[in-house]
């Protein structure tokens, strides 16, 4: 899509549990954001303190696949809770190599609802049709005085 006004955002806010290596386990507000301009990615913004946020960007496919089984390698993994009755999805994020991951536990139902809304905007397998490659090339080839949008 080439027109900015035809882009769609899908946003959801939820309360999740954040467990870190030193045994701290606490509730944290998480904002999920999907922008059809970047159809492969979901932005996760954690509100750690009043003014502090931490942002991660994960592949939408990783979140989709992680609802049904272990998905991902390296610094991000997603899997459903072993206790199916709990209705939770776990997201492990490793901000530094060779360190233990931070594990986020979210409601499987809330995550699924968010992901279904993203699929309504950009169905799986159609992501490439939503990329604005002409605009990206123009931006890359633009002169030094050209504004970036």
């Amino acid at each position: 899509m080439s027109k900015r006004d035809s882009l769609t955002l899908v946003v959801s806010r939820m309360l999740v549990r954040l467990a870190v290596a030193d045994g701290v386990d606490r509730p944290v507000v998480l904002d999920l954001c999907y922008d059809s301009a970047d159809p492969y990615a979901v932005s996760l913004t954690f509100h750690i303190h009043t003014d502090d946020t931490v942002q991660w960007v994960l592949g939408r496919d990783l979140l989709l696949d992680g609802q049904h089984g272990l998905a991902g390698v390296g610094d991000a993994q997603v899997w459903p809770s072993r206790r199916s009755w709990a209705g939770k999805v776990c997201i492990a994020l490793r901000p530094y190599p060779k360190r233990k991951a931070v594990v986020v536990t979210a409601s499987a139902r809330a995550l699924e609802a968010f992901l279904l809304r993203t699929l309504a905007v950009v169905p799986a397998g159609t992501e490439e049709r939503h990329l604005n490659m002409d605009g990206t090339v123009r931006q890359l080839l633009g002169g030094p005085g050209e504004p970036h949008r």
Side-chain angles (χ1 to χ4, degrees):
M1 294 187 168
S2 60
K3 294 184 180 180
R4 184 74 189 152
D5 61 348
S6 64
L7 301 178
T8 304
L9 289 177
V10 177
V11 179
S12 181
R13 176 170 277 190
M14 62 182 72
L15 190 62
V16 298
R17 299 291 307 176
L18 181 70
V20 294
D22 58 4
V24 175
D25 181 356
R26 65 186 182 113
V28 173
V29 173
L30 170 64
D31 289 334
L32 297 165
C33 182
Y34 179 80
D35 186 343
S36 64
D38 189 3
Y40 293 102
V42 173
S43 171
L44 290 77
T45 303
F46 297 91
H47 298 271
I48 305 299
H49 299 290
T50 307
D51 296 330
D52 294 332
T53 61
V54 175
Q55 186 175 39
W56 279 74
V57 178
L58 299 179
R60 181 174 71 167
D61 286 348
L62 177 67
L63 293 172
L64 286 165
D65 293 345
Q67 293 183 304
H68 308 289
L70 179 61
V73 293
D75 61 350
Q77 291 183 306
V78 183
W79 66 92
S81 171
R82 288 184 210 156
R83 297 179 226 140
S84 59
W85 53 266
K88 302 291 181 185
V89 172
C90 300
I91 304 169
L93 304 170
R94 188 178 317 275
Y96 303 105
K98 299 183 182 179
R99 285 220 177 148
K100 291 198 176 195
V102 172
V103 178
V104 178
T105 307
S107 162
R109 182 176 290 168
L111 182 60
E112 179 183 31
F114 169 78
L115 291 169
L116 287 173
R117 288 174 44 215
T118 72
L119 291 168
V121 172
V122 178
T126 68
E127 292 89 352
E128 72 283 347
R129 287 188 260 165
H130 295 269
L131 294 172
N132 181 3
M133 295 308 291
D134 292 337
T136 302
V137 170
R138 268 194 310 277
Q139 190 175 20
L140 290 171
L141 297 177
E146 298 255 343
H148 295 284
R149 295 182 190 148

